[in-house]
């Protein structure tokens, strides 16, 4: 392995810093998400609705924290489009969350809190990887579909 190759290998100091900072933002968002989930469940909301309500507050907090404290590179110049795609990735994570919560609570008979915490670990890895690659890297667009994804100078 050459020095040049190892210098570009993950994790770089920047990638590690982003991962740790994103983890902190996600922990904050998880607190919001889980608190809303548990409050809604205690108030009688169905699990799927409670999870969606928690998601809405959590994803907004995560975006604000991530763009302020985590990611310096942005592939998009339009922040409203960036937020929409950030939420879109989160919606994919929400679908994964719903499926895992159904599996853990309905099929494996775990209570909602431990099920939510286990699910959050898996969805965290998914969300970080996709958001980093799609929104917060300096990679150039590869397809016409990515035409709005341009690195900022």
């Amino acid at each position: 392995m050459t020095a040049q190759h190892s210098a570009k290998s993950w994790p770089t100091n920047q990638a590690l810093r982003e991962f740790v900072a994103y983890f902190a933002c996600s922990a904050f968002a998880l607190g919001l998400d889980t608190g809303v989930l548990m409050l809604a469940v205690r108030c009688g909301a169905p699990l799927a609705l409670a999870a969606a309500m928690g998601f809405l507050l959590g994803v907004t907090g995560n975006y604000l924290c991530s763009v302020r404290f985590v990611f310096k590179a942005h592939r998009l110049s339009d922040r409203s489009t960036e937020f929409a795609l950030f939420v879109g990735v989160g919606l994919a994570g929400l679908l994964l969350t719903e499926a895992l919560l159904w599996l853990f609570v309905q099929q494996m008979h775990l209570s909602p809190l431990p099920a939510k915490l286990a699910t959050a670990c898996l969805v965290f890895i998914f969300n970080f990887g996709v958001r980093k690659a799609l929104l917060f890297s300096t990679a150039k667009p590869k397809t016409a579909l990515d035409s709005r994804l341009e690195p900022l100078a």
Side-chain angles (χ1 to χ4, degrees), residues 102-145:
W102 173 82
L103 175 69
F104 293 150
V105 174
Q106 302 299 324
Q107 301 303 308
M108 298 174 67
H109 307 290
L110 296 175
S111 66
L113 183 58
K116 176 64 177 177
L117 296 176
T119 296
C121 292
L122 298 171
V123 174
F124 168 79
I125 294 166
F126 169 82
N127 284 342
F128 175 79
V130 174
R131 285 174 173 153
K132 172 72 176 158
L134 180 66
L135 300 172
F136 303 112
S137 71
T138 56
K140 293 188 179 185
K142 294 183 175 105
T143 69
L145 293 175

Side-chain angles (χ1 to χ4, degrees), residues 6-136:
S6 64
K8 292 183 179 181
S9 297
W10 194 90
T12 64
N13 286 339
Q14 179 68 19
L16 186 56
R17 187 202 66 76
E18 287 178 345
F19 186 82
V20 170
Y22 185 80
F23 180 83
C25 286
S26 294
F28 165 72
L30 175 62
L32 293 173
D33 185 341
T34 303
V36 170
L37 170 87
M38 296 309 295
L39 180 61
V41 166
R42 286 187 183 166
C43 291
L47 182 62
L49 176 61
M53 291 167 48
F55 166 80
L56 291 173
L57 187 58
V59 73
T60 301
N62 197 2
Y63 175 77
L64 294 172
C65 185
S66 292
V67 298
R68 175 73 172 102
F69 299 110
V70 180
F71 299 112
K72 303 305 177 213
H74 295 268
R75 292 184 72 189
L76 297 172
S77 57
D78 180 18
R79 293 297 176 251
S80 61
T81 301
E82 180 181 80
F83 179 70
L85 289 171
F86 190 95
V87 171
V89 172
L91 288 171
L94 177 59
L95 292 175
L96 182 57
T97 296
E98 295 287 354
L100 290 171
L101 284 173
W102 173 82
L103 175 69
F104 293 150
V105 174
Q106 302 299 324
Q107 301 303 308
M108 298 174 67
H109 307 290
L110 296 175
S111 66
L113 183 58
K116 176 64 177 177
L117 296 176
T119 296
C121 292
L122 298 171
V123 174
F124 168 79
I125 294 166
F126 169 82
N127 284 342
F128 175 79
V130 174
R131 285 174 173 153
K132 172 72 176 158
L134 180 66
L135 300 172
F136 303 112

